Amino acid sequence: QVQLVESGGGLVQTGGSLRLSCAASGRTFRSYAVGWFRQAPGKEREFVAAITWSGGTTDYADSVKGRFTISRDNAENTVYLQMISLKPEDTAVYYCAVKYGRFADFGSWGQGTQVTVSS
Protein backbone atom coordinates (compact mmCIF):
# COMPACT_ATOMS: atom_id res chain seq x y z
CA GLN A 1 0.00 0.00 0.00
CA VAL A 2 3.03 2.28 -0.05
CA GLN A 3 2.98 4.84 -2.86
CA LEU A 4 6.09 5.17 -5.01
CA VAL A 5 7.08 8.03 -7.29
CA GLU A 6 9.88 7.68 -9.83
CA SER A 7 11.74 10.67 -11.24
CA GLY A 8 14.96 11.60 -13.00
CA GLY A 9 14.40 10.16 -16.44
CA GLY A 10 15.14 12.05 -19.61
CA LEU A 11 16.81 12.06 -22.99
CA VAL A 12 20.55 11.41 -23.17
CA GLN A 13 23.06 10.44 -25.82
CA THR A 14 24.85 7.11 -25.90
CA GLY A 15 27.48 7.09 -23.15
CA GLY A 16 25.60 9.57 -21.00
CA SER A 17 24.46 9.28 -17.40
CA LEU A 18 21.25 9.66 -15.42
CA ARG A 19 20.26 9.17 -11.81
CA LEU A 20 16.75 7.93 -11.13
CA SER A 21 14.99 8.39 -7.82
CA CYS A 22 12.22 6.35 -6.22
CA ALA A 23 10.55 8.15 -3.33
CA ALA A 24 8.11 6.40 -1.00
CA SER A 25 5.27 7.96 0.92
CA GLY A 26 5.61 7.90 4.67
CA ARG A 27 8.75 7.94 6.73
CA THR A 28 10.22 4.64 5.52
CA PHE A 29 9.71 1.91 2.93
CA ARG A 30 9.23 -0.73 5.66
CA SER A 31 9.85 -3.44 3.07
CA TYR A 32 12.20 -6.36 2.53
CA ALA A 33 13.57 -4.98 -0.73
CA VAL A 34 13.10 -2.31 -3.36
CA GLY A 35 13.63 -3.06 -7.02
CA TRP A 36 14.01 -1.25 -10.32
CA PHE A 37 12.44 -2.67 -13.45
CA ARG A 38 12.15 -1.41 -17.00
CA GLN A 39 9.80 -1.98 -19.90
CA ALA A 40 10.21 -1.06 -23.54
CA PRO A 41 7.17 -0.85 -25.85
CA GLY A 42 5.89 -4.30 -26.80
CA LYS A 43 8.28 -6.06 -24.43
CA GLU A 44 7.97 -7.76 -21.06
CA ARG A 45 8.90 -5.89 -17.93
CA GLU A 46 12.53 -6.68 -17.11
CA PHE A 47 14.34 -6.80 -13.78
CA VAL A 48 17.16 -4.27 -13.48
CA ALA A 49 18.37 -4.10 -9.88
CA ALA A 50 17.23 -4.54 -6.29
CA ILE A 51 18.43 -3.66 -2.81
CA THR A 52 17.36 -4.91 0.60
CA TRP A 53 16.16 -2.07 2.76
CA SER A 54 17.89 -2.99 6.01
CA GLY A 55 21.14 -4.62 4.93
CA GLY A 56 21.75 -2.96 1.58
CA THR A 57 22.42 -6.22 -0.25
CA THR A 58 22.23 -5.60 -4.00
CA ASP A 59 21.44 -7.64 -7.07
CA TYR A 60 21.78 -6.64 -10.74
CA ALA A 61 20.77 -7.93 -14.11
CA ASP A 62 23.77 -9.01 -16.16
CA SER A 63 22.92 -6.43 -18.80
CA VAL A 64 23.50 -3.52 -16.41
CA LYS A 65 26.14 -4.89 -14.04
CA GLY A 66 29.12 -2.56 -13.92
CA ARG A 67 27.14 0.35 -15.35
CA PHE A 68 24.22 0.82 -12.95
CA THR A 69 24.38 1.24 -9.18
CA ILE A 70 21.39 0.95 -6.86
CA SER A 71 21.51 2.63 -3.47
CA ARG A 72 19.18 3.78 -0.75
CA ASP A 73 18.94 6.66 1.68
CA ASN A 74 16.99 5.36 4.65
CA ALA A 75 16.60 8.81 6.20
CA GLU A 76 15.14 10.23 2.98
CA ASN A 77 13.06 7.11 2.28
CA THR A 78 14.41 7.08 -1.26
CA VAL A 79 16.10 4.56 -3.54
CA TYR A 80 18.34 5.64 -6.39
CA LEU A 81 19.54 4.11 -9.62
CA GLN A 82 22.73 5.70 -10.92
CA MET A 83 23.16 4.85 -14.60
CA ILE A 84 26.35 5.48 -16.54
CA SER A 85 27.59 4.48 -20.00
CA LEU A 86 24.02 4.39 -21.23
CA LYS A 87 23.21 2.50 -24.42
CA PRO A 88 20.22 2.73 -26.78
CA GLU A 89 19.04 -0.66 -25.50
CA ASP A 90 18.58 0.93 -22.07
CA THR A 91 15.69 2.95 -23.50
CA ALA A 92 12.55 2.07 -21.54
CA VAL A 93 10.14 3.23 -18.90
CA TYR A 94 11.76 2.57 -15.54
CA TYR A 95 9.63 1.56 -12.57
CA CYS A 96 10.36 0.90 -8.93
CA ALA A 97 8.51 -1.53 -6.70
CA VAL A 98 8.71 -3.09 -3.25
CA LYS A 99 8.43 -6.58 -1.83
CA TYR A 100 7.71 -7.48 1.76
CA GLY A 101 9.37 -10.87 1.96
CA ARG A 102 12.10 -12.95 0.32
CA PHE A 103 9.54 -14.97 -1.64
CA ALA A 104 6.89 -12.28 -2.06
CA ASP A 105 6.10 -10.59 -5.34
CA PHE A 106 7.15 -7.05 -6.09
CA GLY A 107 4.22 -4.65 -6.00
CA SER A 108 3.11 -1.08 -5.37
CA TRP A 109 4.51 -0.05 -8.74
CA GLY A 110 5.13 3.62 -9.36
CA GLN A 111 4.04 5.54 -12.44
CA GLY A 112 7.42 5.12 -14.13
CA THR A 113 9.93 7.53 -15.60
CA GLN A 114 11.00 7.51 -19.25
CA VAL A 115 14.64 7.00 -20.13
CA THR A 116 15.56 7.53 -23.77
CA VAL A 117 19.11 6.98 -25.04
CA SER A 118 19.74 8.26 -28.54
CA SER A 119 22.23 6.69 -30.91
Side-chain angles (χ1 to χ4, degrees), residues 74-92:
N74 299 68
E76 295 295 325
N77 212 26
T78 302
V79 171
Y80 303 97
L81 186 69
Q82 179 68 55
M83 308 184 295
I84 66 171
S85 301
L86 283 163
K87 308 173 181 179
E89 51 262 45
D90 296 318
T91 295

Side-chain angles (χ1 to χ4, degrees), residues 33-84:
V34 181
W36 283 99
F37 297 76
R38 64 188 183 186
Q39 187 169 26
K43 297 186 180 297
E44 295 281 311
R45 187 156 52 196
E46 174 190 20
F47 170 78
V48 175
I51 186 168
T52 61
W53 189 243
S54 295
T57 301
T58 59
D59 189 28
Y60 297 94
D62 288 342
S63 59
V64 307
K65 193 169 297 182
R67 299 188 299 120
F68 291 9
T69 303
I70 188 171
S71 61
R72 84 269 197 256
D73 187 329
N74 299 68
E76 295 295 325
N77 212 26
T78 302
V79 171
Y80 303 97
L81 186 69
Q82 179 68 55
M83 308 184 295
I84 66 171

Side-chain angles (χ1 to χ4, degrees), residues 16-30:
S17 301
L18 286 171
R19 189 179 77 157
L20 308 184
S21 298
C22 173
S25 62
R27 300 179 67 248
T28 179
F29 275 93
R30 294 300 187 198

